[in-house]
Amino acid sequence: MASTADIKNGVVLSIDGQLWSVIEFQHVKPGKGGAFVRTKLKNVVSGKVVDRTYNAGAKIEIENVDRRDFTYLYNDGDGFVFMDVADYDQLTVGAATVGDAAHFLLENQQVQIALNNGNPLYIELPASVVLEITYTEPGLQGDRSSAGTKPATLETGYEIQVPLFLETGTKVKVDTRTGDYLGREK
């Protein structure tokens, strides 16, 4: 068991059988009364964010979370198969754990997987990825970058909004957190 003095950003706590990551914390010592620690916690699995306050010196349970580099290999129908770059072991991760990251995964892409006691918790992608547009309606003469957007299907099958002047076969940079178009890749 640890105490509230061990709370830092990024530490994972076990609360009521669920894992919560500390997004931010603040140690508060008011002029009157005892000190306390105010935290903002994010559920590792669901992504739900809550505020929680602890009295200074209260006992908390810190979980060991190992973030390791993996290479995405393929989707076998039951899950996504990744290879550990350190020891070449393969790990199958369920679609529920991968979540929206599946929209941006290409074979041989490097990702980080957070593991707790050998169980995958979540996947961290790079902030942006470069993907090719496999289909979009052709642009018309006179279309400009500020005129509007149109739907485009990426090589992973995910659909995003892109400027009217982009054509099929263009490589674009996409934000993996929001799914937004960031620009053309040279």
Side-chain angles (χ1 to χ4, degrees):
M1 288 296 247
S3 73
T4 55
D6 299 317
I7 291 180
K8 294 177 180 53
N9 288 346
V11 167
V12 177
L13 307 176
S14 177
I15 303 170
D16 300 329
Q18 294 186 339
L19 298 178
W20 297 82
S21 178
V22 177
I23 298 173
E24 59 186 60
F25 73 99
Q26 180 181 19
H27 186 83
V28 180
K29 178 140 178 41
K32 187 171 153 184
F36 59 91
V37 178
R38 186 178 295 135
T39 62
K40 184 175 278 192
L41 305 171
K42 179 179 179 182
N43 190 305
V44 170
V45 178
S46 69
K48 180 180 176 183
V49 177
V50 298
D51 292 323
R52 190 144 183 188
T53 304
Y54 295 96
N55 289 330
K59 298 294 181 200
I60 56 172
E61 190 174 340
I62 294 181
E63 283 289 328
N64 182 23
V65 174
D66 185 23
R67 290 177 177 84
R68 298 201 322 234
D69 292 326
F70 283 80
T71 301
Y72 172 62
L73 298 178
Y74 58 90
N75 183 346
D76 68 357
D78 297 331
F80 295 80
V81 180
F82 295 88
M83 180 184 66
D84 191 335
V85 296
D87 58 12
Y88 304 111
D89 284 345
Q90 290 188 4
L91 174 70
T92 301
V93 179
T97 304
V98 173
D100 289 340
H103 300 309
F104 309 107
L105 280 176
L106 287 176
E107 291 181 3
N108 299 320
Q109 184 174 355
Q110 299 296 313
V111 298
Q112 269 197 340
I113 299 180
L115 301 166
N116 175 256
N117 299 328
N119 298 322
L121 299 174
Y122 57 89
I123 293 178
E124 292 179 6
L125 291 173
S128 64
V129 292
V130 177
L131 298 170
E132 185 176 331
I133 296 175
T134 56
Y135 177 76
T136 188
E137 295 293 328
L140 301 173
Q141 181 65 30
D143 287 343
R144 299 291 176 256
S145 63
S146 62
T149 61
K150 63 181 178 181
T153 305
L154 302 173
E155 59 188 305
T156 59
Y158 188 61
E159 191 172 281
I160 64 169
Q161 293 292 319
V162 298
L164 294 170
F165 63 87
L166 290 180
E167 299 174 356
T168 300
T170 306
K171 289 197 179 277
V172 294
K173 189 181 259 189
V174 181
D175 187 327
T176 58
R177 296 166 301 224
T178 61
D180 293 338
Y181 164 82
L182 295 176
R184 277 189 292 191
E185 191 63 25
K186 305 294 187 263

